[in-house]
Amino acid sequence: MRGRRWSRAAALVAGLLVAAVLTGCGGAPRSLGPRFVVDLLHPGVTDPVLVSLVGLRPGGDAVLTATAHTASGTWASRAVYVVPPNGVIALWRAKPILAPYPAPDPAALFWSMTGPPVSQSELEQTWAGNDIDITLAADQDGREVASTILHRTGFNTATAPRDVFARDLLSPSERDEAGADFDRRIGTFVTPLPDPTQPRPAVIVVDGDDGGGSGRFVAGQLAANGFPAFILPSFGPTGQIPGSSALSVESFDAARAWLAEQPEVDPSRIFVWGSWRAAPLALWFAANEPYAVYGAIAASGPTALLCTASGGASPLTSGGDPVPCESQVRTIADTPALRLDRIPGPVVLACGTADEILSNACEWLTAAEQARGERTGDVLLRAVGAGHAISTPPLVPVGLPESSPTLAQATEQARAAFWRDALATLERAVR
């Protein structure tokens, strides 16, 4: 079942490593010549993959490249390795001498690709929607000696998204009164393919429109792994500041009630998800509606409902009035954390110690830990050396800083750990 893929990620990667080591160390016949060995258990664009190159002429260097020609332009990465005496470059143990990543990494050629500047919708379509072919090539002495094409399936292959409108959430009597609001899009429901054979835990993704961590990426990854997801925008019409008071408690409640009625969803196992600006919104709903929300997953954001920096407005409304929020002027120690102790199910929180946008992200996590107390099943990830974009699915070349290879690699490692923990938590919630 797809939902078990990342919950067993550590075991899967270990198995791949054993297979790859046997391939690399077994001394395949030299007559076969240089060639790539790619080990993977699933073909999805975010699924673990191990790359090695065998049969090379020992001594000297080899230049490895990954290239993808997409509708948004060409994406590519390049790394140089010393060829050891056995003629095998195993990326998970070989340190590059020149690359956009400093340490050994089994799939660094994929996540380190860079491409043209594109819009958010183009970025999502390229790396969270369509299938993609990635060409791996190796040169020695200026001559190509090996190449292979790896087909990676996008979320469009594994999921079925559909827009949800106000009319879908209203009762017959409410529809008569809705007027022009009747056709307003509320969000997007993303389900796994094929349809689950039993109700599954589901996630409301409070979308803060944070680039690589946008709802399209997160919901696609969740649904591709077997968990239905509802993308609920937390910002208003075009031009309105993300995180503004466009999100209302009523909108969330209507979306949650509608989600609970879907046959694919276990209504007693609904989680909320938020990152950066949307993190405190998601956690607020989990803390204030424990009768309706089972658990929460959040990364790289405050764990208190802060007022906006400009004007001090609340990012949330209820009944048309602003929900009380906390001033950003106060210190974390003087700011009341959200009542995370009220959340009945598990909580997964993450921060990067080198967050370049919210420098005190891990201090906020500590405040959340104190408010929550110790609970079985909770996961609190402090990713040493990682940056801000932890919630983006792994292996996609999105949101990683090109100017700092060390920061980029640490953030990618944090992504893999965060998603492994998040999906394992959802899998344990299956009844």
Side-chain angles (χ1 to χ4, degrees):
M1 180 180 294
R2 284 188 176 272
R4 300 184 182 276
R5 227 194 290 170
W6 272 91
S7 62
R8 298 200 304 257
L12 298 184
V13 170
L16 288 176
L17 283 171
V18 171
V21 167
L22 292 175
T23 301
C25 298
R30 289 287 180 184
S31 59
L32 293 177
R35 64 206 177 280
F36 282 95
V37 177
V38 180
D39 293 284
L40 72 166
L41 297 183
H42 299 281
V45 69
T46 62
D47 286 325
V49 58
L50 300 176
V51 176
S52 58
L53 187 60
V54 304
L56 293 167
R57 177 177 54 78
D61 302 338
V63 179
L64 277 59
T65 59
T67 307
H69 300 289
T70 74
S72 66
T74 298
W75 296 73
S77 62
R78 180 180 182 273
V80 182
Y81 291 85
V82 172
V83 181
N86 66 355
V88 176
I89 297 175
L91 268 63
W92 62 90
R93 67 176 176 226
K95 184 177 180 178
I97 59 175
L98 181 63
Y101 48 92
D105 190 299
L109 287 172
F110 298 90
W111 60 257
S112 66
M113 287 193 288
T114 58
V118 296
S119 67
Q120 180 64 24
S121 61
E122 290 175 310
L123 191 68
E124 292 173 352
Q125 194 59 31
T126 299
W127 292 107
N130 295 332
D131 292 5
I132 193 166
D133 288 326
I134 300 175
T135 300
L136 299 176
D139 287 8
Q140 273 191 297
D141 300 323
R143 180 176 64 88
E144 184 177 292
V145 295
S147 68
T148 189
I149 296 176
L150 186 63
H151 184 72
R152 306 284 273 172
T153 57
F155 295 145
N156 289 348
T157 299
T159 67
R162 68 182 176 95
D163 288 337
V164 178
F165 297 90
R167 60 177 177 269
D168 299 316
L169 277 59
L170 300 176
S171 66
S173 61
E174 291 172 326
R175 292 175 187 175
D176 294 337
E177 301 174 0
D181 195 54
F182 188 80
D183 290 322
R184 179 170 60 90
R185 188 177 72 86
I186 300 298
T188 304
F189 184 43
V190 187
T191 55
L193 289 177
D195 290 335
T197 57
Q198 65 181 43
R200 303 276 290 171
V203 183
I204 298 177
V205 179
V206 183
D207 187 8
D209 194 29
D210 293 323
S214 69
R216 179 100 184 260
F217 282 94
V218 172
Q221 176 77 337
L222 290 168
N225 282 274
F227 302 103
F230 189 103
I231 304 172
L232 182 66
S234 63
F235 52 93
T238 301
Q240 191 164 324
I241 299 173
S244 68
S245 57
L247 182 61
S248 69
V249 172
E250 291 77 13
S251 293
F252 178 89
D253 289 345
R256 181 204 52 76
W258 180 89
L259 182 64
E261 295 175 350
Q262 304 313 302
E264 304 94 338
V265 173
D266 181 344
S268 67
R269 292 294 185 270
I270 292 179
F271 287 73
V272 290
W273 178 298
S275 63
W276 181 208
R277 295 181 182 93
L281 297 174
L283 295 173
W284 188 94
F285 287 115
N288 285 275
E289 300 190 358
Y291 54 88
V293 175
Y294 179 65
I297 303 170
S300 305
T303 51
L305 188 66
L306 300 181
C307 306
T308 60
S310 58
S314 176
L316 189 65
T317 64
S318 178
D321 297 321
V323 171
C325 56
E326 307 297 337
S327 170
Q328 293 196 25
V329 176
R330 292 203 299 262
T331 65
I332 293 177
D334 293 330
T335 302
L338 291 164
R339 291 292 306 276
L340 304 185
D341 57 303
R342 296 172 176 169
I343 303 173
V347 167
V348 179
L349 301 177
C351 68
T353 62
D355 192 311
E356 64 274 32
I357 294 180
L358 187 66
S359 60
N360 58 1
C362 287
E363 296 175 48
W364 282 113
L365 190 147
T366 297
E369 184 178 18
Q370 294 170 349
R372 172 76 169 168
E374 187 174 344
R375 298 283 189 92
T376 300
D378 283 1
V379 179
L380 303 178
L381 172 65
R382 292 176 177 83
V384 177
H388 180 74
I390 292 176
S391 63
T392 303
L395 290 185
V396 296
V398 172
L400 296 171
E402 299 176 29
S403 59
S404 177
T406 299
L407 179 61
Q409 189 163 35
T411 305
E412 171 62 22
Q413 292 169 348
R415 290 175 174 182
F418 176 61
W419 274 98
R420 181 180 63 243
D421 292 337
L423 293 171
T425 297
L426 292 170
E427 188 64 41
R428 287 193 294 270
V430 175
R431 296 192 303 164

